[in-house]
Amino acid sequence: MKNRWLSPFGRRLALREWLVLSIILLTITGILGWQNGLGRLDQARYDLFLSTKNAAANEDIIIVAIDDYSLSELGRWPSWSRTTHAKLIQRLNQAKPRAIGFDVIMSEAEPHQPGAISSGDQQLAAALQQSGRTVLPVTMTNAGRGLTVSLPTPELARAAHALGHINLAHDSDGVVRSVFLYEGQHGVWWPQFSAALLATGNPTQAARTPVPYKETPTPAGIDNWQRADQMHIPFTGSTGHVRSVPYVSVLRGEVPDEFFTDKYVLVGATALGMSDSYPTPVSGATGAMPGVEIHAQILSSLLNGERIRLANAWESMLFTLVPVFMAMLGYLLLSPRRALFAALAWLLIIVASSYIGLCYMGIWLPPSIALIAVTISYPLWSWRRLEVAIAYLGQEFDRLNKEPHLLPEQQPAVHGKEMTDVLEQRISAMENAARRVRDLRQFVSNNLDNLPDATLVTTIDGRILLANKHANNYYWSMGYDEVCGLSVIELLQQLKTPQPVDQAANLSFDWPQLLDLERAAALSNGISVRDHKGRDLLVKSAPCYSADNLLTGWIISILDISTIRAAERSRDETLRFLSHDMRAPQASILALLELQQERSSALPQQELFARIEKACRKTLGLADNFVQLARAESQEYRLEEVDFQDMLFDAADEMWSVAKSRNIDLQVDIAEDEYPVNVDRVLITRALTNLISNAINYSPDHTNIQCSARALKLGDQTYVVCNIRDHGYGIAEANQSKLFQRFQRVDLPNQPRHDGVGLGLVFVKTVIERHQGEISFSSTTGKGTTFTLTLPLDIVDSMP
């Protein structure tokens, strides 16, 4: 039965898993996001973000603090008379503040003191009346008969400019983070204490203060106590952030009036044990913030037009869904590593967005749901992908084990039946598959490196994937440290004059055609080119196919055919020589014979025979040179151990008569020693003879030629060094590079012409190098030339 995994539906399993997991996560996070957060988790982050926001305190707000110092100077609370408060208000009235918020609850009348002209309430009421800009607090109390409003005494309430409630909203964890700008009961509303203070001090700016809902607000608590227009407080600092002065210092006049002029002044308790302190997001190590400071922070936000609002349900849900969806999309489209980095990036984006929204835009977007969803999405997706991967790999490993093995391998020893779990079976199959892949890769790598020519394996578009050692060495010599990853087309375009083999020379060719399947058959014999170093190359390409017969890449081979091309050029030179130099003497003989048939042009018999003899000897000499050169270039060397000085004497003796005929003194100087060499005696003797013959031919009469031999030790090897020196015409510097080339003559214009076709020195060079020796020369025009032969002594190995 066909494996279900291999069906098209099975190939879409990853997408199906992704869709299922994405729908589940997005549904859960969307529902939780609509509910606007996870309570305590988001409250903790709210407090953390808000505590990092530091801004300068509003210079227009001053707290007159009933602190521990004031209590120590004026007596314990509540023994303070309201007459004292009246004096404070009168002192503040002299400074003409913008508004005074007197955060002291005075819901009961003070008893009249005997002998006093007026009561403390009357004096305080008179001071409030004189001020005309003082706000008194309203509280919510529960005396056992339900929630009721606690107002200042009627006398004080009528004297105050405005009343404002000082109730704060406590969240489920008891922390004060917000306040309702309007609260009331039975249709009577009171503004928040700070809002009333703002309206008193700046009626025009009070228009910016939110107004209560026109519709009936939702009841909060019991007894139909109503709240409207909730504002989260944008705290700008912790306890003590707002400027304050001691109550007693103001009462004594120790603070100049200018300090309070045109300022909002809040009077309230900050002393430990008597202040109404509450925990806030910014309380820090103090644990609680006095209520008067909280009201100062609220007033500061109202003055600056700042407030924090909770995101709407749809905003919170969108803020939660977007990063979760983008993270899931990254898991589908990116690699696991990049997907992990993307998920981490989205976590940072969530935190940063929530922080910026709270501290700079005044909107609270709870981040906990999105953070948790993105955090758990990666392990969930990795788990599902791992499950799918294990199942797939298990099936593929089973199929791989059933495939025929390309390389021989040892079967593992079986120690009885062992109980193994699924994971261990998969690991074992993985080890076998990995070992086979390594073996196969090593097999391919070894075979690729052992190919005799430079070979490259490329992608379909020509990007190099593999290169054997010959290819690396070749391109290293061309200046490339690494060719893998480069374009083979760009490398080949640096070669000169590409020409497809066996195709018309006038047909155009571009290197991309080498990777064209339609041109593969036409280019099967390769492309003939030359590189920048003058080497002749043959470039061939062959396509690579997968098991499904799909094109996967190309194999490019670069063959160095310089030797073949050199042989072809040598053949062409030989043919040109045969067609010219060797035909010329024969043609001369035929011409002489034709002229001899005519009586008028006939030559004397002796002259005719002389000319025919000269042409024949020239032809014979050329043929002999070719035969000797062909033998020198062949593999058939007859090696024997010979003393080098014997061969040098033989060559000198052979040329002695020729030198004597021109009055040239041929001298042989050999240091006393033995010079055993393992050489082909005939070829070495002929090489020495050629050099001495050249020295004679290119020397004037009445000169001398010196032939010497000596031993030279270099390292562990001893050599015989032979110098053949003449005092002839020398070789021009311009001709020295052509000295060992075929059919090259280097005669000077002022020297006699000699017969020859330029094969003698080629023969000498070939023979010496085939005997593992070296030949060099030095020459000065007009002074002579010295040829130096170097051969190793005691050679016992066979010729290569």
Side-chain angles (χ1 to χ4, degrees):
M1 186 176 72
K2 187 176 180 181
N3 196 327
R4 179 178 174 81
W5 177 265
L6 300 178
S7 65
F9 177 78
R11 295 181 183 274
R12 294 194 297 270
L13 183 59
L15 179 60
R16 185 181 66 182
E17 293 280 341
W18 181 85
L19 287 174
V20 172
L21 183 58
S22 298
I23 291 173
I24 293 175
L25 281 178
L26 291 175
T27 301
I28 295 175
T29 55
I31 293 173
L32 294 176
W34 185 268
Q35 297 177 356
N36 210 349
L38 291 179
R40 295 291 180 88
L41 288 177
D42 283 313
Q43 288 172 351
R45 287 179 174 83
Y46 178 95
D47 296 346
L48 177 63
F49 293 165
L50 202 58
S51 63
T52 62
K53 179 183 178 182
N54 291 317
N58 196 315
E59 298 291 336
D60 293 334
I61 302 174
I62 299 174
I63 295 176
V64 177
I66 304 174
D67 54 6
D68 292 324
Y69 173 68
S70 299
L71 292 177
S72 65
E73 293 294 320
L74 299 178
R76 304 304 299 173
W77 190 272
S79 62
W80 291 11
S81 171
R82 291 180 183 172
T83 303
T84 305
H85 297 325
K87 292 178 181 179
L88 178 71
I89 298 298
Q90 291 172 359
R91 178 69 66 179
L92 292 175
N93 287 339
Q94 295 176 7
K96 297 182 179 179
R98 185 171 296 181
I100 301 173
F102 205 80
D103 186 17
V104 178
I105 299 174
M106 294 175 289
S107 57
E108 296 179 357
E110 185 180 66
H112 185 76
Q113 298 295 328
I117 300 174
S118 59
S119 66
D121 286 346
Q122 292 173 343
Q123 296 181 35
L124 180 57
L128 295 177
Q129 188 71 35
Q130 181 184 1
S131 170
R133 59 186 67 198
T134 304
V135 178
L136 296 181
V138 175
T139 61
M140 178 179 62
T141 61
N142 188 346
R145 299 188 300 272
L147 292 177
T148 59
V149 176
S150 177
L151 299 173
T153 62
E155 185 177 10
L156 297 178
R158 289 191 300 269
H161 178 271
L163 301 178
H165 76 83
I166 57 173
N167 301 326
L168 300 173
H170 297 263
D171 289 336
S172 58
D173 56 355
V175 178
V176 173
R177 298 183 179 88
S178 63
V179 66
F180 289 90
L181 293 181
Y182 289 91
E183 292 191 10
Q185 190 177 36
H186 307 302
V188 179
W189 293 88
W190 288 275
Q192 206 276 335
F193 186 74
S194 299
L197 194 60
L198 176 63
T200 300
N202 193 344
T204 58
Q205 191 173 7
R208 295 164 54 186
T209 304
V211 296
Y213 296 136
K214 294 182 179 180
E215 67 270 13
T216 303
T218 303
I222 57 177
D223 298 324
N224 201 26
W225 188 267
Q226 296 171 312
R227 293 176 168 179
D229 202 357
Q230 186 178 19
M231 179 189 81
H232 280 68
I233 307 169
F235 291 96
T236 57
S238 61
T239 303
H241 182 67
V242 182
R243 290 193 305 168
S244 66
V245 293
Y247 184 103
V248 67
S249 298
V250 179
L251 185 64
R252 293 172 179 174
E254 298 173 356
V255 181
D257 293 342
E258 294 79 6
F259 190 72
F260 300 105
T261 301
D262 204 29
K263 299 292 194 299
Y264 290 92
V265 181
L266 284 83
V267 181
T270 61
L272 296 177
M274 65 163 292
S275 63
D276 50 344
S277 299
Y278 307 94
T280 65
V282 296
S283 296
T286 61
M289 178 181 290
V292 67
E293 288 200 37
I294 297 176
H295 297 312
Q297 297 263 15
I298 298 171
L299 177 61
S300 176
S301 65
L302 293 176
L303 285 172
N304 297 330
E306 298 177 352
R307 63 187 300 176
I308 297 174
R309 72 172 181 89
L310 297 180
N312 296 325
W314 67 270
E315 291 174 330
S316 179
M317 183 178 68
L318 186 63
F319 176 73
T320 301
L321 291 178
V322 169
V324 176
F325 175 76
M326 294 303 297
M328 292 300 300
L329 190 63
Y331 302 153
L332 182 65
L333 301 179
L334 302 177
S335 64
R337 178 182 297 179
R338 293 183 177 180
L340 176 59
F341 290 151
L344 295 176
W346 277 111
L347 292 176
L348 294 176
I349 291 173
I350 293 169
V351 174
S353 300
S354 181
Y355 177 81
I356 293 172
L358 175 65
C359 296
Y360 296 97
M361 301 176 62
I363 180 173
W364 171 237
L365 296 165
S368 296
I369 299 172
L371 291 174
I372 294 174
V374 173
T375 301
I376 67 173
S377 64
Y378 187 81
L380 285 176
W381 171 249
S382 300
W383 164 62
R384 290 308 308 152
R385 296 299 297 135
L386 183 61
E387 286 287 332
V388 174
I390 290 177
Y392 171 74
L393 291 176
Q395 296 175 8
E396 289 299 312
F397 290 150
D398 291 340
R399 291 180 58 216
L400 183 61
N401 284 329
K402 296 177 182 179
E403 293 286 337
H405 302 163
L406 299 179
L407 301 176
E409 59 181 10
Q410 294 182 350
Q411 295 295 332
V414 179
H415 304 286
K417 293 185 178 180
E418 298 180 358
M419 297 295 293
T420 58
D421 58 9
V422 176
L423 180 59
E424 188 173 351
Q425 294 175 4
R426 297 291 184 264
I427 293 176
S428 177
M430 179 66 182
E431 290 176 349
N432 292 333
R435 175 178 51 79
R436 290 175 183 172
V437 170
R438 289 194 299 269
D439 293 343
L440 185 59
R441 187 186 185 284
Q442 187 65 36
F443 175 78
V444 172
S445 178
N446 291 342
N447 281 272
L448 189 65
D449 276 342
N450 290 330
L451 292 176
D453 303 307
T455 305
L456 304 170
V457 180
T458 74
T459 59
I460 297 176
D461 59 354
R463 192 67 56 184
I464 299 175
L465 299 176
L466 296 174
N468 68 352
K469 61 182 180 181
H470 299 292
N472 286 324
N473 292 337
Y474 173 74
Y475 280 107
W476 181 84
S477 68
M478 302 297 289
Y480 292 92
D481 294 332
E482 178 63 42
V483 296
C484 290
L486 301 180
S487 171
V488 71
I489 300 299
E490 295 178 0
L491 294 179
L492 294 177
Q493 285 175 343
Q494 301 178 16
L495 302 177
K496 301 177 181 178
T497 60
Q499 177 59 43
V501 179
D502 299 335
Q503 290 196 18
N506 59 353
L507 291 179
S508 62
F509 170 78
D510 293 324
W511 282 110
Q513 297 176 8
L514 193 68
L515 306 182
D516 188 354
L517 281 176
E518 297 180 357
R519 299 292 303 275
L523 302 177
S524 59
N525 291 329
I527 311 299
S528 177
V529 295
R530 299 193 74 182
D531 63 11
H532 295 289
K533 294 187 177 181
R535 289 174 289 192
D536 293 289
L537 305 175
L538 184 66
V539 181
K540 291 186 175 183
S541 67
C544 297
Y545 295 95
S546 66
D548 298 328
N549 201 30
L550 298 176
L551 180 66
T552 58
W554 295 83
I555 298 178
I556 310 295
S557 60
I558 304 175
L559 291 73
D560 189 348
I561 57 173
S562 299
T563 304
I564 298 175
R565 289 288 187 260
E568 292 177 350
R569 287 190 289 271
S570 176
R571 178 198 63 190
D572 295 341
E573 291 173 353
T574 302
L575 292 177
R576 287 195 300 270
F577 167 76
L578 292 175
S579 64
H580 181 267
D581 291 74
M582 294 194 70
R583 288 181 60 200
Q586 309 304 317
S588 298
I589 294 174
L590 292 177
L592 288 173
L593 294 176
E594 290 178 357
L595 291 174
Q596 198 65 22
Q597 294 178 1
E598 298 292 335
R599 186 179 296 274
S600 59
S601 59
L603 298 175
Q605 186 175 13
Q606 185 175 0
E607 182 180 355
L608 174 65
F609 288 163
R611 292 192 176 189
I612 292 177
E613 180 184 7
K614 181 179 180 180
C616 291
R617 289 187 180 277
K618 183 176 181 180
T619 303
L620 183 62
L622 292 174
D624 185 55
N625 284 337
F626 261 107
V627 171
Q628 293 296 335
L629 181 59
R631 183 183 173 189
E633 293 177 342
S634 70
Q635 301 292 329
E636 298 179 359
Y637 277 55
R638 301 178 180 89
L639 301 180
E640 57 180 311
E641 186 171 321
V642 186
D643 195 325
F644 182 81
Q645 58 183 334
D646 294 340
M647 294 184 291
L648 183 58
F649 278 123
D650 290 345
D653 291 342
E654 184 177 348
M655 300 305 300
W656 181 85
S657 60
V658 178
K660 193 67 175 176
S661 65
R662 295 183 52 194
N663 295 315
I664 295 177
D665 185 13
L666 183 59
Q667 304 172 359
V668 178
D669 181 17
I670 302 177
E672 292 187 5
D673 203 347
E674 292 184 358
Y675 303 94
V677 291
N678 195 35
V679 297
D680 188 314
R681 179 168 187 163
V682 175
L683 291 179
I684 293 294
T685 304
R686 179 59 183 267
L688 295 171
T689 302
N690 281 3
L691 291 177
I692 297 174
S693 175
N694 282 346
I696 295 172
N697 290 334
Y698 290 93
S699 295
D701 296 345
H702 305 285
T703 57
N704 64 76
I705 297 174
Q706 299 169 347
C707 302
S708 64
R710 61 185 177 87
L712 176 65
K713 186 174 182 62
L714 296 175
D716 296 334
Q717 179 65 50
T718 304
Y719 298 88
V720 57
V721 180
C722 175
N723 292 319
I724 300 176
R725 180 181 180 185
D726 63 59
H727 297 81
Y729 306 107
I731 304 171
E733 185 175 353
N735 294 328
Q736 291 182 7
S737 61
K738 303 184 295 182
L739 197 60
F740 295 106
Q741 298 180 13
R742 293 171 179 259
F743 309 112
Q744 297 292 330
R745 294 177 56 86
V746 292
D747 296 327
L748 293 175
N750 59 349
Q751 71 183 54
R753 178 76 177 179
H754 298 280
D755 294 335
V757 292
L759 293 179
L761 289 178
V762 178
F763 168 80
V764 174
K765 179 178 175 62
T766 302
V767 170
I768 296 301
E769 290 182 348
R770 293 296 300 277
H771 284 87
Q772 302 180 9
E774 295 180 357
I775 181 171
S776 60
F777 71 94
S778 62
S779 181
T780 304
T781 304
K783 294 184 179 181
T785 303
T786 301
F787 281 90
T788 302
L789 304 181
T790 304
L791 288 174
L793 295 179
D794 299 324
I795 299 178
V796 296
D797 296 334
S798 300
M799 292 296 297

